[in-house]
Amino acid sequence: MEGQEGTQQPHLVLAHKLFLLTHPDVDDIEKVRLRDEVYNAVVADDMAPLYETLVANGVLNLDQKVLDSMRAKIDEELKKLDEKIADAEENLGESEVREAHLAKSLFYIRISDKEKALEQLKLTESKTVAVGQKMDLVFYTLNIGFFYLDFDLISKSIDKAKNLFEEGGDWERKNRLKVYEGLFCMSTRNFKKAANLFLDSISTFTTYELFPYDTFIFYTVLTSIISLDRVSLKQKVVDAPEILAVIGRIPHLSKFLNSLYDCQYKSFFSAFAGLTEHIRLDRYLHPHFRYYMREVRTVVYSQFLESYKSVTIEAMAKAFGVSVDFIDLELSRFIAAGKLHCKIDKVAGVLETNRPDAKNALYQATIKQGDFLLNRIQKLSRVIDL
């Protein structure tokens, strides 16, 4: 399941193609090519269980001869694997028995039989003593989880890996786990934690089986922009040599990041528009597309307004290269949602900021918590008196 350096795991490449096949924004000509590639990949690895699912969902057409051929090959290979396991148990040592069981696990993973793969991985784990080898089994399980986007399985596997690390484990595997957990956090809309985990892994990235390094930098920049303050963004992202070495290869990303930091808002919106398709067609980011769009606009509008006590709507519209009506509608939505601390004077055509005072906010929170505590004490005293 683990890819070689620089090579994404084939099952995850296939998963992305399957995602694009069902995406409404992908044109029909492209889908014809994708369908052929998916079919060839499924047949090449004898993925009969996945083929049946895809046929049932109308993604592929049923070819009974092909399906029967795949099933026959699977039965033949399973027979060989069971013979190897039996031979190892009778004639060889514990490590050979484990290797035979692992081979069967990897075969089930290859043919995309999720339930049997997980069952066989558990059996292989029962034959495994070394912490490092147990961790490798967890990584196989995590790859299965990301193929099916089974977030419950991914979450449990990450927790299991962390428990294993308490028993030992090398730094290389610990660093790999950070990327897996970062991808899980990003896929479940915990962008702040994802950004921190990705940034911790930049200089030690070896998780090529999940995605290429360019994609990793893409995710790191996107999650950091809506998670880090301006100073941290400069130190950890804008000036990071690992990011600078790669960011130019990713369309629009350099302009997106640098124009935000340099307050070039017109350029930022231009780059932002160029990135939207990339985000929309990303398997992990697509479910959060609208949310991410809102968060990015919140960041950039807040940064602009931070410099002013009051500013005309016309001046802000000009800075962003959009119409006054667009900015008026945008800001009214964000203000109503509590995302921006300002108010619109429609008559004067002016925006007035009313940033909350941190000390005052802390004072109000303390008063509120104090009232709550007093109410609880009074209720408790009445119960005691009874």
Side-chain angles (χ1 to χ4, degrees), residues 51-96:
Y51 182 65
E52 290 175 293
T53 302
L54 295 176
V55 167
N57 293 337
V59 177
L60 294 178
N61 296 319
L62 176 63
D63 185 329
Q64 193 62 47
K65 287 184 180 178
V66 171
L67 182 58
D68 291 342
S69 172
M70 285 193 284
R71 284 173 175 165
K73 289 178 184 176
I74 289 170
D75 290 340
E76 184 182 341
E77 186 63 28
L78 283 173
K79 187 179 178 182
K80 290 179 183 177
L81 289 167
D82 287 335
E83 287 173 358
K84 285 182 180 178
I85 290 171
D87 179 57
E89 288 176 340
E90 288 178 18
N91 305 312
L92 302 171
E94 290 180 359
S95 62
E96 288 80 6

Side-chain angles (χ1 to χ4, degrees), residues 87-237:
D87 179 57
E89 288 176 340
E90 288 178 18
N91 305 312
L92 302 171
E94 290 180 359
S95 62
E96 288 80 6
V97 171
R98 179 195 175 275
E99 289 302 316
H101 278 288
L102 177 60
K104 191 174 181 180
S105 302
L106 296 179
F107 177 72
Y108 279 131
I109 291 171
R110 197 194 87 189
I111 65 171
S112 296
D113 193 330
K114 180 185 176 186
E115 300 308 321
K116 288 184 179 177
L118 293 174
E119 187 181 316
Q120 187 63 33
L121 282 168
K122 284 183 182 177
L123 183 57
T124 306
E125 186 185 0
S126 68
K127 310 286 183 183
T128 305
V129 177
V131 174
Q133 290 180 331
K134 285 184 178 180
M135 272 303 309
D136 289 337
L137 296 177
V138 175
F139 284 124
Y140 289 131
T141 307
L142 282 167
N143 274 296
I144 294 171
F146 280 115
F147 179 79
Y148 292 98
L149 291 183
D150 184 341
F151 294 123
D152 184 52
L153 176 64
I154 295 168
S155 178
K156 288 177 180 176
S157 298
I158 289 170
D159 290 340
K160 184 177 181 179
K162 288 179 178 178
N163 291 332
L164 282 171
F165 279 136
E166 291 178 7
E167 301 174 23
D170 57 86
W171 281 106
E172 193 267 337
R173 289 186 175 93
K174 287 183 180 180
N175 288 326
R176 283 176 62 204
L177 183 64
K178 285 183 181 179
V179 180
Y180 277 87
E181 188 178 2
L183 182 57
F184 168 69
C185 290
M186 187 185 77
S187 302
T188 52
R189 204 176 281 186
N190 188 349
F191 290 112
K192 186 173 181 63
K193 188 173 182 182
N196 290 330
L197 287 164
F198 286 153
L199 288 167
D200 283 348
S201 309
I202 281 184
S203 58
T204 56
F205 180 83
T206 57
T207 323
Y208 296 100
E209 69 271 18
L210 274 183
F211 36 61
Y213 189 63
D214 288 11
T215 304
F216 171 67
I217 294 299
F218 176 70
Y219 291 154
T220 303
V221 172
L222 289 190
T223 53
S224 297
I225 276 178
I226 63 170
S227 305
L228 302 182
D229 59 63
R230 188 172 165 80
V231 174
S232 299
L233 189 69
K234 174 72 170 171
Q235 292 174 344
K236 298 180 180 180
V237 182

Side-chain angles (χ1 to χ4, degrees), residues 306-325:
E306 191 76 25
S307 307
Y308 301 95
K309 180 69 178 173
S310 65
V311 62
T312 63
I313 300 175
E314 186 179 353
M316 186 171 181
K318 188 176 181 182
F320 282 90
V322 295
S323 68
V324 171
D325 290 340

Side-chain angles (χ1 to χ4, degrees), residues 263-271 273 300-301 304 312-327 330:
C263 304
Q264 302 295 322
Y265 300 112
K266 195 179 291 187
S267 297
F268 175 83
F269 260 35
S270 172
V300 72
Y301 293 149
F304 177 85
T312 63
I313 300 175
E314 186 179 353
M316 186 171 181
K318 188 176 181 182
F320 282 90
V322 295
S323 68
V324 171
D325 290 340
F326 176 82
I327 279 290
E330 278 275 273

Side-chain angles (χ1 to χ4, degrees), residues 301 316 327-336 340 344 351:
Y301 293 149
M316 186 171 181
I327 279 290
D328 185 36
L329 182 62
E330 278 275 273
L331 295 182
S332 61
R333 287 173 179 166
F334 285 105
I335 292 167
L340 294 176
I344 301 174
L351 287 164

